[in-house]
Amino acid sequence: MSLPEFSVKKPITVLMLLIVIIIFGVIAYIKIPLKMLPDDFSGYFLWINIPYSSSNPNEVLNQIAIPVEDELSTIQGIKTLNSNSSTNGVFFWIEFNQGIDMATAYQEVSDRIERVRPQLPDEVDRIFIRRWNPNDMEILAFAIQPPENSKDTYFLINDVLQPYLQRIDGVAKIDFNGLTEKLIYIEIDAEKLKKHNLNLYQFVSKLRKDNFLMSCGYVIEGGKKNNLIVNARFTNLDEIKNLPIGIKNLKIKDIAKVSYKEPKKTSIFRINGKEGITINIFKESGANTVDVCRKVNKAIAKIFSTDKRFKGFKYFSLWDQGKTIENSLNDLKNSGLIGGLLAMLIVFFFIRRFRLTTVVSLSIPFSLFMAIVWLYFSGGSLNLLSLMGLMLAVGMLVDNSIVVSENIDRLKGMGLGTVEASIKGANEVGLAITLATLTTIVVFLPAMLMGNDQMMKMFMKNVGTTIIYALISSLFVALILIPFTSARVLKQNGKKKTSKFIEKIKEKYKTAISYSLSHKRNLFLIVTLLILSSIYPATHMKKTGNMEGGPRSVRMRVRFPEYYTLEQRDQFFNKLSEKFMKKKKELEIKAITTYISLTWCQFSIWLKDSKDAKKDVADVMKEVKKMLPKVPGIRFRFRGDYSSSKGGTVNIFFYGKDQNTLMQIAEEFKTRVEHLKGVVNVDIDVDERNQQIVATVKRETAQKKGVLPIEVESSISWFLREIPLPKYISKDREVDVKLAFMEKDKNSENKLKSITIHAGKKQLPVEAFTKFKKEKAWPQIRRRNKNTTLGVKITYADTNFMELSRKVSKIASSMHLPPGYSWDKGRRFKEVEETDNSTMYAAILAATFVLLLMGVLFESYILPFSIIISVPLAFIGSYWLIYITGTIFNPMAATGILILVGIVVNNGIVLIDHINRLRKQGMDRKEAIIQGSTDRLRPVLMTALTTIIGLIPLAIGRANLVGIPYSPLAITVIGGLTTSTFLTLFVVPTFYYLLDVTGEYFKNLTAAFFSKAKVEKQSL
């Protein structure tokens, strides 16, 4: 018993089955996790951070970076090994070849680090190894502006707000920026220290050993064991002030000032010109992002409105991943809903029967419910990729139902009874729609299983799996729901309404197909010219490999001259903020944040969410660049990869031994490149050389006086730095205690030279043991694959990526580099080339799979070739529509090309299957081709137009994947399906005719050959 026959003869069973599907679908939809990206979305990267503060980049390079690089180089599968040595230590960024098991790679890196650890300096304490994971990204970032009269902001944020938010289910970690904590400072007066002839070593050691709580064992009394704890904690500031030093009855207050205050500002964080704090929320792995964001937003609103301690505090969101997901999901839902309604209108236009249209349209929700059930019970989530798969499938979900219902309707019109027509109609086209569904499914296998591009594999796996679930469900619905409703719901031999417009189209088409069969050469010439014409848009359309998403922002690193004080930098940023806030509406600015310090300054413009925005980030960036003031000595560098559909950032790397020479080469390259069309900004990836003071220890002098070099280093270090001491414990909090010299002493090089060191019974100045020298030094040294490198970052927009790549390569190649120096393109350039290769590879494999599948199901090696011609016909429309609309060909569009391979052959399958049936009934070949093509014109147009019209909202709407629009994918499919459908109606029947005649000719020739051989053998 076939499925259609079962559905018609077992109505109660089928009805119960449909109700079960609805119930499970609703349950799955409610409970399925909502995430931004799937759990298997991960990169092939590792980071290693080895802190080594207050050192020289050259020292860090030689003592840490090079030994670690040598050890890591023994690991197989490393694509690029990058290191950045600075005064704070060394940072490694390792990129592995795609396909490497990152769990194994992490273990191997950890093993190599342990091997090399004995070779590293003793001061290297902790080494951090981190593997990239999407769960490591913050899901929520918001800004807080405390009132000016807030007495203890740190306590309210750290000890009240943080624990309150930390208790929310799903919150893993909370980070703060711009928050300063009050400390207890013991500030030494250098003159008093010298006056009383105190030993700094002894003084620091005494303070470090005081203020403790220590377990000293236990006492057994009366058969009971009592732990003994000695409490020597300070209970108030006066105890610290009156603590005896142990020399000349002096107390701490005699040589130092003790106070509870905020540390001196070394950095300033502002939000819209006012000092503030940013808070980043991270979720637990597996937690529902949307749910966690909702709970956090609700909790923040509640505590700020109900807790009197937060009176006057203001807060607003900078980045809300939950809302981004909701907006993207809603955009897709709305696009899908509109597309589904438009598809229903197309079906009604052709069928002209309301109930039949309703029955066909029901295949969309039923198929989606079934797909979500499959997704939920297979452990998947409803994320932006899986929902995109459902959205793409919406237009295709009615295809099978249209073919089945149209054939049933045709048989009813021929006089068959409702039940008989329902069973026979579904059975007749069962093979065709099964084959059409399988050809669409099979195109995802090459990209999911065999591609070299792992990101494309991940992308296609999540999108493709959802489409596969939906299409299998639509096939089930077409063979169960449509025959069931046709037999039980629709009227017996109801009056068939036909459109005069459609009948005229049929007549015109019948004439046109007859003409094309009689003028095959002309048709072949036209098709050849059209295919060749697609070469032009394919080679001239804009391309990019950019698939970056995230918060919409423009971030700049600002470099000030060394003589600019913190206050002067702050004033400059305040004026700059005011200037941009005057253009808040035009630039679609949500907020401006600034971070200022003497070593690092960043200016960030946060833009409206993509849902409310009209401008692309690239357009805003160009306007921002025009508004930047030109002040001598101040440099602006746009930072990082920005989220834009029109461009991105790429890198060029120069390699050599000398950093100064590399800088000269990079400056020359920058001058040549920044005038190219489409280049928004060019940055050299290193700061200018800083002035530093080098204190070289006079070893002979120190040895004669009995002073160790470490004593010299410690004295200088203690003079300039803040020395941490045991924490002060109060009733409600812990407070850090710091020992430092007074600011009036630290801001003078002469006072630094005059600090004293005990040499026996004498006190000698540091200058007696050291030689001070000022020199310029690079703040960091970068290496790539064990070679010193300097990167140049190019930010581009509104330009042909491939053309930009050629021009950049030409400029770099024309530069006369010194011997031993070279250049190379960055990762983004190579990614575009790899994406092109992967797309072509996957498309060829997909077409091959489709061809083989059709050969198996048709049991013919000729018929599949007459259908596969639809694939190049699709590329004509895709490339031309992408080129004409100015759409950028990115990985989204590449996905559309792969999907097209499976979709466009469906029309040919429906045509050829019906033609074969007519021929088996005894009809002449040419007559069967004309009649079969005319009979299938309506379902072909219906299935194509429902998909095309269904994707129009996605093509012209603002639906996006975290800032990456879906429109390139929709435009690719629309263009390809349009040309393929129109040309398939003529080309496939004509090629079928030619191949059938050729096959018949060779069959007769082979038969004649063997017959002649048989006669000759018998005559012998």
Side-chain angles (χ1 to χ4, degrees):
M1 184 184 290
S2 64
L3 283 177
E5 188 177 357
F6 172 83
S7 69
V8 173
K9 293 183 178 180
K10 303 285 186 180
I12 302 300
T13 303
V14 172
L15 185 61
M16 295 300 105
L17 182 62
L18 295 177
I19 292 173
V20 168
I21 291 172
I22 294 173
I23 294 173
F24 274 90
V26 172
I27 293 172
Y29 181 76
I30 293 172
K31 291 195 171 184
I32 192 168
L34 289 177
K35 297 181 179 180
M36 174 173 284
L37 296 169
D39 292 331
D40 60 345
F41 185 85
S42 61
Y44 292 87
F45 312 108
L46 281 177
W47 290 271
I48 304 173
N49 183 24
I50 305 178
Y52 190 65
S53 59
S54 301
S55 186
N56 182 281
N58 281 308
E59 181 185 356
V60 173
L61 174 67
N62 294 318
Q63 294 188 19
I64 303 176
I66 291 179
V68 173
E69 284 179 355
D70 292 339
E71 197 65 45
L72 292 175
S73 298
T74 62
I75 300 175
Q76 291 186 347
I78 291 181
K79 188 174 182 180
T80 54
L81 175 59
N82 305 275
S83 69
N84 183 8
S85 302
S86 66
T87 55
N88 296 317
V90 60
F91 180 82
F92 293 91
W93 179 70
I94 310 171
E95 180 183 5
F96 289 85
N97 292 322
Q98 297 191 21
I100 292 293
D101 183 353
M102 290 306 296
T104 303
Y106 182 88
Q107 292 174 356
E108 290 188 4
V109 169
S110 300
D111 174 67
R112 299 307 192 278
I113 291 297
E114 290 305 315
R115 290 186 191 180
V116 77
R117 188 185 282 271
Q119 303 177 35
L120 304 181
D122 294 335
E123 292 80 6
V124 173
D125 183 19
R126 294 177 296 172
I127 299 178
F128 304 94
I129 306 174
R130 194 174 161 200
R131 177 182 170 188
W132 188 87
N133 189 299
N135 290 315
D136 292 338
M137 298 169 58
E138 70 273 13
I139 62 167
L140 191 66
F142 59 93
I144 294 178
Q145 287 182 338
E148 293 181 2
N149 59 351
S150 178
K151 294 181 179 179
D152 200 344
T153 302
Y154 181 88
F155 174 73
L156 287 175
I157 299 298
N158 190 71
D159 291 7
V160 179
L161 182 61
Q162 182 177 8
Y164 176 73
L165 297 178
Q166 197 80 54
R167 289 194 293 268
I168 297 174
D169 187 31
V171 173
K173 185 178 70 169
I174 302 175
D175 283 346
F176 302 97
N177 289 316
L179 193 61
T180 54
E181 178 185 10
K182 281 188 175 181
L183 308 175
I184 294 176
Y185 275 99
I186 303 174
E187 297 175 282
I188 303 172
D189 189 321
E191 293 181 0
K192 291 181 179 179
L193 189 72
K194 184 178 180 180
K195 175 183 176 182
H196 293 292
N197 195 26
L198 294 178
N199 188 319
L200 184 60
Y201 258 133
Q202 294 177 358
F203 179 60
V204 173
S205 298
K206 177 176 177 57
L207 288 177
R208 280 181 166 175
K209 293 177 182 179
D210 214 323
N211 187 31
F212 60 82
L213 182 70
M214 186 178 295
S215 175
C216 297
Y218 58 89
V219 175
I220 298 177
E221 184 178 2
K224 293 183 179 180
K225 179 180 176 181
N226 299 295
N227 292 325
L228 179 62
I229 298 174
V230 176
N231 185 0
R233 296 276 191 193
F234 295 128
T235 58
N236 53 60
L237 293 185
D238 288 335
E239 286 187 2
I240 300 175
K241 293 177 182 178
N242 295 316
L243 181 69
I245 297 175
I247 301 174
K248 301 178 181 179
N249 296 322
L250 292 173
K251 300 178 180 179
I252 286 182
K253 65 181 181 182
D254 296 325
I255 61 166
K257 178 183 177 183
V258 180
S259 58
Y260 176 58
K261 63 178 183 178
E262 289 187 355
K264 180 188 176 183
K265 282 189 177 180
T266 57
S267 63
I268 302 172
F269 180 80
R270 292 188 183 276
I271 305 163
N272 295 336
K274 296 181 180 180
E275 287 197 54
I277 304 152
T278 58
I279 300 182
N280 297 320
I281 310 290
F282 298 82
K283 75 177 184 70
E284 295 175 349
S285 179
N288 188 317
T289 303
V290 175
D291 189 42
V292 174
C293 288
R294 285 174 182 168
K295 289 179 180 177
V296 170
N297 281 317
K298 187 177 179 180
I300 292 172
K302 181 180 179 181
I303 194 171
F304 273 74
S305 61
T306 58
D307 194 325
K308 294 180 180 180
R309 290 175 293 183
F310 288 95
K311 185 179 179 180
F313 280 73
K314 296 179 181 179
Y315 75 95
F316 52 90
S317 174
L318 295 175
W319 158 244
D320 189 334
Q321 194 180 110
K323 283 187 178 179
T324 301
I325 294 174
E326 286 187 289
N327 291 339
S328 297
L329 294 181
N330 289 332
D331 286 343
L332 279 175
K333 288 177 186 176
N334 294 334
S335 298
L337 183 61
I338 295 171
L341 292 174
L342 291 174
M344 288 176 63
L345 291 176
I346 293 297
V347 173
F348 182 75
F349 174 77
F350 280 94
I351 296 178
R352 297 302 175 99
R353 295 169 65 185
F354 179 75
R355 282 199 293 176
L356 183 56
T357 300
T358 304
V359 168
V360 171
S361 301
L362 281 175
S363 60
I364 297 177
F366 270 104
S367 300
L368 291 177
F369 270 130
M370 290 180 66
I372 291 174
V373 170
W374 285 42
L375 197 63
Y376 174 69
F377 285 103
S378 64
S381 63
L382 201 59
N383 53 67
L384 297 180
L385 296 183
S386 60
L387 199 66
M388 186 180 79
L390 293 177
M391 173 61 209
L392 290 172
V394 166
M396 297 184 280
L397 294 180
V398 294
D399 290 0
N400 292 332
S401 298
I402 286 173
V403 174
V404 172
S405 60
E406 196 278 338
N407 200 46
I408 293 173
D409 199 44
R410 183 180 64 85
L411 293 177
K412 285 182 181 180
M414 294 171 61
L416 291 181
T418 302
V419 173
E420 186 182 357
S422 298
I423 296 173
K424 187 176 180 181
N427 282 332
E428 277 188 359
V429 295
L431 175 64
I433 63 173
T434 301
L435 179 57
T437 302
L438 291 177
T439 53
T440 306
I441 291 173
V442 81
V443 299
F444 293 101
L445 295 180
M448 289 168 60
L449 304 176
M450 299 179 218
N452 293 324
D453 190 336
Q454 296 296 318
M455 291 302 288
M456 178 64 78
K457 282 174 65 175
M458 182 281 304
F459 187 83
M460 293 302 293
K461 176 186 174 184
N462 287 277
V463 174
T465 301
T466 312
I467 292 177
I468 289 170
Y469 288 159
L471 291 180
I472 292 176
S473 301
S474 74
L475 179 62
F476 174 82
V477 168
L479 295 176
I480 293 289
L481 178 65
I482 300 302
F484 168 75
T485 52
S486 296
R488 301 292 170 179
V489 179
L490 300 179
K491 289 181 179 180
Q492 172 74 23
N493 294 328
K495 185 179 178 181
K496 187 176 179 180
K497 299 177 183 179
T498 57
S499 168
K500 292 182 180 180
F501 177 72
I502 295 173
E503 291 301 320
K504 284 183 180 180
I505 291 178
K506 278 188 175 183
E507 291 176 9
K508 295 285 186 183
Y509 173 66
K510 193 170 186 178
T511 303
I513 191 66
S514 300
Y515 179 85
S516 65
L517 289 172
S518 303
H519 299 79
K520 293 180 278 294
R521 290 183 180 179
N522 294 343
L523 180 66
F524 180 78
L525 180 62
I526 292 171
V527 171
T528 303
L529 290 175
L530 286 174
I531 292 175
L532 291 175
S533 73
S534 64
I535 296 175
Y536 180 82
T539 54
H540 288 78
M541 61 187 177
K542 297 177 182 179
K543 290 186 179 182
T544 181
N546 187 35
M547 280 285 282
E548 300 291 336
R552 298 180 76 252
S553 63
V554 177
R555 292 172 294 164
M556 294 173 284
R557 168 86 183 275
V558 185
R559 175 73 180 181
F560 288 93
E562 292 180 359
Y563 56 82
Y564 266 63
T565 64
L566 193 68
E567 291 72 22
Q568 288 175 319
R569 299 176 190 216
D570 188 30
Q571 290 173 6
F572 179 83
F573 269 6
N574 286 337
K575 291 180 181 178
L576 193 60
S577 296
E578 291 175 5
K579 183 176 182 179
F580 282 115
M581 289 304 285
K582 289 178 181 178
K583 294 281 186 178
K584 181 178 180 179
K585 187 176 181 181
E586 293 87 338
L587 297 177
E588 300 180 339
I589 296 174
K590 182 163 61 174
I592 293 177
T593 60
T594 58
Y595 177 81
I596 308 128
S597 73
L598 293 175
T599 57
W600 176 274
C601 297
Q602 179 166 303
F603 191 91
S604 302
I605 302 175
W606 300 83
L607 306 177
K608 289 182 179 179
D609 296 335
S610 55
K611 180 183 178 182
D612 305 317
K614 296 179 180 179
K615 293 185 178 182
D616 190 85
V617 178
D619 298 326
V620 177
M621 183 179 286
K622 287 189 285 188
E623 293 185 39
V624 167
K625 186 180 180 182
K626 291 178 183 177
M627 293 177 62
L628 293 177
K630 295 182 179 179
V631 180
I634 298 180
R635 282 174 45 201
F636 294 90
R637 287 173 51 193
F638 288 91
R639 296 193 62 239
D641 294 328
Y642 63 95
S643 171
S644 171
S645 61
K646 294 186 176 182
T649 54
V650 292
N651 293 280
I652 292 289
F653 295 99
F654 292 96
Y655 303 93
K657 293 182 179 181
D658 182 59
Q659 186 92 343
N660 295 322
T661 305
L662 287 173
M663 190 66 181
Q664 293 174 2
I665 295 171
E667 289 284 1
E668 181 185 348
F669 178 77
K670 176 184 175 183
T671 304
R672 295 189 186 188
V673 170
E674 58 189 359
H675 299 296
L676 292 179
K677 180 183 176 182
V679 172
V680 178
N681 196 66
V682 183
D683 290 321
I684 299 174
D685 203 17
V686 70
D687 290 328
E688 295 177 354
R689 291 188 296 176
N690 296 325
Q691 181 169 286
Q692 64 181 17
I693 300 173
V694 180
T696 306
V697 177
K698 301 175 183 176
R699 287 188 172 273
E700 292 184 5
T701 304
Q703 191 174 2
K704 288 179 181 179
K705 300 294 183 180
V707 176
L708 297 174
I710 190 65
E711 293 182 67
V712 178
E713 186 277 334
S714 297
S715 298
I716 295 174
S717 177
W718 289 344
F719 181 79
L720 298 174
R721 295 178 182 172
E722 295 177 351
I723 305 168
L725 298 175
K727 291 187 176 184
Y728 172 84
I729 309 295
S730 66
K731 292 181 180 180
D732 59 353
R733 70 188 74 177
E734 291 184 355
V735 181
D736 287 335
V737 181
K738 296 288 181 73
L739 177 68
F741 278 84
M742 292 184 174
E743 289 296 327
K744 65 181 181 66
D745 296 325
K746 291 196 290 187
N747 294 330
S748 169
E749 185 181 338
N750 290 329
K751 286 194 176 182
L752 170 64
K753 294 178 180 179
S754 64
I755 61 172
T756 58
I757 298 176
H758 276 260
K761 296 182 179 180
K762 295 183 178 180
Q763 286 193 85
L764 298 176
V766 166
E767 192 175 19
F769 303 98
T770 56
K771 181 180 180 182
F772 288 85
K773 179 184 177 183
K774 291 182 179 180
E775 62 180 32
K776 291 280 188 178
W778 295 105
Q780 50 196 212
I781 300 174
R782 300 178 188 270
R783 281 163 62 91
R784 185 179 174 89
N785 293 332
K786 303 177 71 172
N787 293 307
T788 303
T789 183
L790 191 60
V792 180
K793 188 185 294 291
I794 303 169
T795 304
Y796 68 93
D798 293 325
T799 188
N800 187 322
F801 180 84
M802 300 308 293
E803 183 180 347
L804 175 67
S805 177
R806 287 191 291 269
K807 289 181 179 178
V808 167
S809 298
K810 185 177 180 180
I811 290 173
S813 300
S814 66
M815 295 176 64
H816 300 289
L817 303 181
Y821 289 78
S822 60
W823 68 277
D824 186 23
K825 288 182 178 180
R827 184 166 59 93
R828 183 56 55 76
F829 282 111
K830 295 174 182 178
E831 279 181 352
V832 174
E833 296 172 1
E834 290 174 0
T835 300
D836 283 347
N837 294 334
S838 296
T839 303
M840 185 179 297
Y841 173 75
I844 292 172
L845 273 180
T848 304
F849 280 20
V850 169
L851 192 67
L852 295 174
L853 182 61
M854 288 191 295
V856 170
L857 294 178
F858 273 132
E859 196 61 35
S860 169
Y861 57 85
I862 293 179
L863 294 181
F865 285 99
S866 64
I867 299 173
I868 204 67
I869 188 65
S870 304
V871 175
L873 300 180
F875 294 160
I876 299 171
S878 292
Y879 290 149
W880 273 112
L881 190 60
I882 290 172
Y883 178 75
I884 291 170
T885 57
T887 303
I888 296 176
F889 189 89
N890 61 11
M892 281 284 189
T895 304
I897 290 292
L898 294 180
I899 293 173
L900 269 177
V901 174
I903 295 177
V904 296
V905 296
N906 294 349
N907 293 331
I909 291 171
V910 171
L911 282 176
I912 300 303
D913 178 68
H914 189 53
I915 292 171
N916 279 342
R917 287 184 177 276
L918 294 177
R919 291 191 65 186
K920 288 177 182 178
Q921 294 173 9
M923 194 175 289
D924 176 68
R925 177 170 51 211
K926 187 172 182 180
E927 185 182 351
I929 292 174
I930 295 172
Q931 185 61 44
S933 300
T934 306
D935 288 345
R936 285 289 177 256
L937 176 64
R938 190 172 71 158
V940 166
L941 292 177
M942 288 169 67
T943 54
L945 287 174
T946 51
T947 304
I948 292 170
I949 300 298
L951 286 174
I952 285 178
L954 205 62
I956 63 177
R958 303 185 65 83
N960 62 83
L961 173 66
V962 202
I964 307 165
Y966 293 111
S967 55
L969 188 151
I971 288 171
T972 302
V973 175
I974 289 172
L977 196 53
T978 301
T979 56
S980 177
T981 301
F982 177 76
L983 294 174
T984 292
L985 292 169
F986 300 97
V987 175
V988 169
T990 305
F991 267 72
Y992 171 82
Y993 183 90
L994 290 173
L995 291 172
D996 192 61
V997 170
T998 304
E1000 192 174 282
Y1001 170 77
F1002 280 107
K1003 184 178 180 181
N1004 293 334
L1005 186 65
T1006 305
F1009 174 79
F1010 282 109
S1011 177
K1012 184 179 179 181
K1014 185 176 180 181
V1015 171
E1016 290 177 352
K1017 185 177 181 181
Q1018 289 176 352
S1019 64
L1020 293 173

